[in-house]
Amino acid sequence: MSATIKRSPTRAALHVPPKSVDGQVHNRLSSCPYSFFLNRITWEFDGERLTLEGCVPTFNMKQMLQSLLRNIDGVESLANKVDVISATGLSAIQRD
């Protein structure tokens, strides 16, 4: 399950270089008290959308990650494709 947060673009958001967004994401993740649990998170920024992928141990951690990365200058939408995988290896990932 993925969640997408959209916000309307601001004047400042139209001219933010991707490296700046990358730096903001990196700083927020590394300064978070739960950064140990977020070390499997990857992200990609395409100029408008920030896409998060990886895995975390709890759904609350997935929500916290999404909240942590809200309101980054230059990001119009956030796609949270992070999977929740418990320590026992059980997952919410759907398999065919």
Side-chain angles (χ1 to χ4, degrees):
M1 174 189 265
S2 68
T4 301
I5 298 172
K6 291 187 177 185
R7 65 181 184 138
S8 44
T10 62
R11 188 171 271 265
L14 299 176
H15 301 292
V16 177
K19 288 194 177 218
S20 175
V21 170
D22 186 57
Q24 290 180 70
V25 171
H26 178 74
N27 288 341
R28 289 186 187 192
L29 291 178
S30 62
S31 65
C32 173
Y34 305 105
S35 61
F36 174 78
F37 297 104
L38 304 178
N39 62 2
R40 293 186 180 182
I41 302 302
T42 60
W43 63 90
E44 182 177 330
F45 180 64
D46 67 3
E48 293 180 357
R49 170 180 277 190
L50 178 66
T51 303
L52 306 174
E53 294 183 338
C55 60
V56 292
T58 67
F59 183 73
N60 288 339
M61 190 72 61
K62 179 176 178 171
Q63 289 180 312
M64 184 275 311
L65 172 66
Q66 189 167 302
S67 295
L68 181 69
L69 298 177
R70 273 193 183 135
N71 301 322
I72 291 179
D73 291 336
V75 177
E76 292 181 32
S77 64
L78 178 82
N80 190 346
K81 297 182 178 181
V82 173
D83 294 316
V84 177
I85 300 178
S86 73
T88 61
L90 300 176
S91 171
I93 300 172
Q94 296 179 352
R95 302 211 169 136
D96 296 329

